[in-house]
Amino acid sequence: MNEVKSALEIAAVDDSKFVLLSVVGSVFCCGLDFDIIVKHLKYNRKRASVKLEDTIKNFVNFFIVFMKPVIVSVKGPAIGLGASILPLCDVVWANEKAWFQTPYTRFGQSPDGCSTITFPKIMGRAAANEMLINGWKMNAQEACDKGLVSQVFWSETFTQEVMVRIQITSCNSFVLENSKALVCYNMNVELKQANERECEVLKKIWASAQGMEYMLKYVQNKIDAF
């Protein structure tokens, strides 16, 4: 998260007109690494939970306030924060093999990435609850139908399709940034408040004995399955 945030900080002040967020390989993002989180929380739960909260909150807030357009190309799975961050970006393209899941309750976690606000607004409350509470695994076409994804392309030609559709390179930077600002103007305060609430709940879960026990159980089950 800190590395992505640092890259965005550089992009915010250089002469680029937009950011293309993509990956090398077949997985877009698996979300938070609970093995690492558990290791941090084992030693000083209260202190580590505050640090983790600040890291996630700052990461998400940077997407909220980032002025240049962010285009995302999703290949493969986007899980947890990797899926919840997508509505904070401006254009999301996916190949047909991509899928999206936010199985927070299975991890003993609560939603993040402002998804408690963005998901209900984008896909309706019922579908948002299926994602955030029930852990619905949504395929690329379903994500497109629900508004989480802009367009879906074939895997074989995905990169070419993305590059062809990036037409804003010829646009004026001033126009791009101000157009985005107008679209986001009424949402930013609400998104920041949602991020604050979500991170506060996560901190409470991480600092609690019950939350720690559930995460340890999840990590152990994953090890046993492996």
Side-chain angles (χ1 to χ4, degrees):
M1 284 186 285
N2 287 332
E3 288 176 359
V4 173
K5 183 171 170 286
S6 296
L8 289 175
E9 286 172 345
I10 294 170
V13 295
D14 66 16
D15 59 357
S16 62
K17 294 182 179 180
F18 66 94
V19 168
L20 176 61
L21 187 59
S22 187
V23 295
V24 175
S26 59
V27 176
F28 179 73
C29 180
C30 286
L32 300 177
D33 188 336
F34 289 105
D35 293 0
I36 299 297
I37 289 176
V38 166
K39 286 175 184 176
H40 279 286
L41 292 174
K42 270 184 178 179
Y43 299 106
N44 190 327
R45 207 159 56 223
K46 186 175 180 180
R47 184 178 176 183
S49 62
V50 171
K51 185 177 179 181
L52 288 165
E53 178 210 17
D54 286 342
T55 301
I56 294 175
K57 184 163 45 178
N58 292 335
F59 175 74
V60 173
N61 272 338
F62 207 85
F63 274 87
I64 294 171
V65 302
F66 192 72
M67 294 180 67
K68 295 180 180 180
V70 178
I71 298 172
V72 186
S73 67
V74 182
K75 298 188 291 182
I79 305 169
L81 189 59
S84 63
I85 204 77
L86 296 177
L88 302 181
C89 303
D90 302 292
V91 179
V92 181
W93 294 320
N95 70 10
E96 89 276 10
K97 293 183 179 178
W99 51 271
F100 308 82
Q101 191 175 26
T102 51
Y104 295 112
T105 53
R106 297 180 194 176
F107 302 151
Q109 305 296 292
S110 55
D112 53 22
C114 300
S115 56
T116 55
I117 289 289
T118 57
F119 277 29
K121 284 190 173 184
I122 289 171
M123 61 185 75
R125 184 174 176 180
N129 284 338
E130 284 283 1
M131 287 285 288
L132 299 175
I133 297 175
N134 204 34
W136 175 24
K137 183 179 176 181
M138 185 183 285
N139 66 39
Q141 191 55 55
E142 288 169 334
C144 190
D145 294 341
K146 292 296 183 183
L148 188 63
V149 167
S150 312
Q151 295 188 72
V152 178
F153 305 119
W154 295 111
S155 297
E156 292 78 8
T157 58
F158 182 62
T159 302
Q160 296 93 309
E161 295 281 6
V162 168
M163 299 313 293
V164 166
R165 281 164 174 76
I166 298 177
Q167 300 174 1
I168 62 174
T169 51
S170 60
C171 297
N172 181 282
S173 298
F174 179 82
V175 172
L176 285 173
E177 291 184 20
N178 280 277
S179 296
K180 175 172 179 173
L182 287 170
V183 172
C184 299
Y185 181 78
N186 292 319
M187 298 185 287
N188 282 359
V189 172
E190 189 177 19
L191 290 172
K192 287 179 183 177
Q193 291 172 345
N195 187 32
E196 187 78 33
R197 289 193 301 269
E198 290 170 359
C199 288
E200 183 63 30
V201 173
L202 282 171
K203 183 176 69 173
K204 289 178 180 177
I205 291 171
W206 292 331
S208 70
Q210 187 179 13
M212 185 69 181
E213 180 184 354
Y214 204 99
M215 278 189 290
L216 280 168
K217 188 183 295 184
Y218 166 74
V219 171
Q220 187 58 52
N221 288 341
K222 193 168 72 168
I223 292 170
D224 291 344
F226 179 78

